[in-house]
Amino acid sequence: MGLEPIFFSLEYGLRLNFLGDIETLVEKLVVQLGYELVDFEIVNGGQLLRIYIDNSDLVSIEDCTTVSNHVNNVLSVETDYDYERLEVSSPGLDRVIKKLKDFERFKGEQAKIKTRFAIDNRKNFKGILSGIKDEKIMIEIEEKLLAIDFENIDKARLDPNY
């Protein structure tokens, strides 16, 4: 199984002046390779780039190697961004949930949500995701349905039963 080389150009006006532009570039590349970018972290003052990918199957070591090689090549050729280490891995069973569509995708799954602002004097919630409604995350907690504004979510991740 040979992979065709992927060439990625910055001709669309993408300027790498901000770290968010690096994430945009990485996401476009990851999607072009056939994966979903689940999460992207820049750690240690920008020296470590951490990428979490997913696909419809189980993410393999070969998948991570492919993405790592392509991202490394594109960043070294197309940008002057200097980093020491690049890590690519699967999101794991307790994956981060960052995108609105993922709250619908994982409907019926148990999750932990931390909000930016308190709701009923609480910021931490654990329950079953019930989808989305009007950009509010619906989560069932202790047999009650709670609506949380998507913008109020600080962190969310699946909480699988082991």
Side-chain angles (χ1 to χ4, degrees), residues 56-71:
S56 58
D57 296 323
L58 189 63
V59 174
S60 69
I61 299 246
E62 290 80 16
D63 294 324
C64 294
T65 301
T66 298
V67 170
S68 179
N69 289 338
H70 283 285
V71 168

Side-chain angles (χ1 to χ4, degrees), residues 2-17:
L3 288 175
E4 294 292 320
I6 294 180
F7 298 97
F8 196 89
S9 173
L10 299 178
E11 65 189 18
Y12 299 106
L14 183 63
R15 300 281 185 252
L16 298 174
N17 296 330

